[in-house]
Structure formats: structure tokens, C-alpha cells
Amino acid sequence: VGLSQQSQVLEQALNKLPQEQRQVLHLSYFRGQSHGAIAEWLDLPIGTVKSRIRLAMQSLRSEVVSEEIG
């Protein structure tokens, strides 16, 4: 599996995420914001931010693994 194909798989998996999960993932991993900063910015409890990130990562992992297998 080439890097270009992996990028496509990841992009497709990101697009399948609910908007709320995609938003916190973007702020955390692409903008480098702390969970506390994200919670404050979005006016959410920090536990909600952490849960959304965890759920998003689980979904991405599952999607990427199933694509690699299939």
C-alpha cells in the first residue's frame, strides 16, 4: 500500500466522522491545541472533548484496518 493510497484512505475515513469528532480531532492534531484549550474554545466539558477524540481515533483505526485487510 503506497503513501498516496494511505492518504486517500485516511481522508475518506476522516470525512466519515461526525462533524463534532472531526472538529476536535482537527483542533488537537492539526492545530496542536490542548484538550483544555479545545474545551474552552468550544464551551464543552473537557471529558466531552476527550471522549470525542477517543471515539474519532477508534473509528479511524477501524476504518484504516478494514481497508488494509479488504
Side-chain angles (χ1 to χ4, degrees):
V1 177
L3 187 57
S4 176
Q5 188 177 1
Q6 286 177 338
S7 294
Q8 278 185 321
V9 168
L10 184 56
E11 186 174 346
Q12 289 171 355
L14 281 167
N15 288 333
K16 290 181 182 178
L17 291 175
Q19 191 271 336
E20 299 87 8
Q21 291 178 17
R22 199 168 47 245
Q23 181 182 41
V24 294
L25 209 59
H26 177 79
L27 290 170
S28 179
Y29 288 95
F30 300 111
R31 292 271 177 104
Q33 298 295 313
S34 69
H35 294 170
I38 295 168
E40 191 174 317
W41 176 260
L42 298 177
D43 194 28
L44 294 170
I46 194 165
T48 300
V49 171
K50 290 180 178 184
S51 292
R52 287 180 183 177
I53 290 172
R54 181 178 47 79
L55 289 169
M57 292 303 289
Q58 287 174 338
S59 294
L60 290 177
R61 191 174 299 116
S62 173
E63 195 68 34
V64 169
V65 167
S66 69
E67 186 65 32
E68 288 176 352
I69 292 171

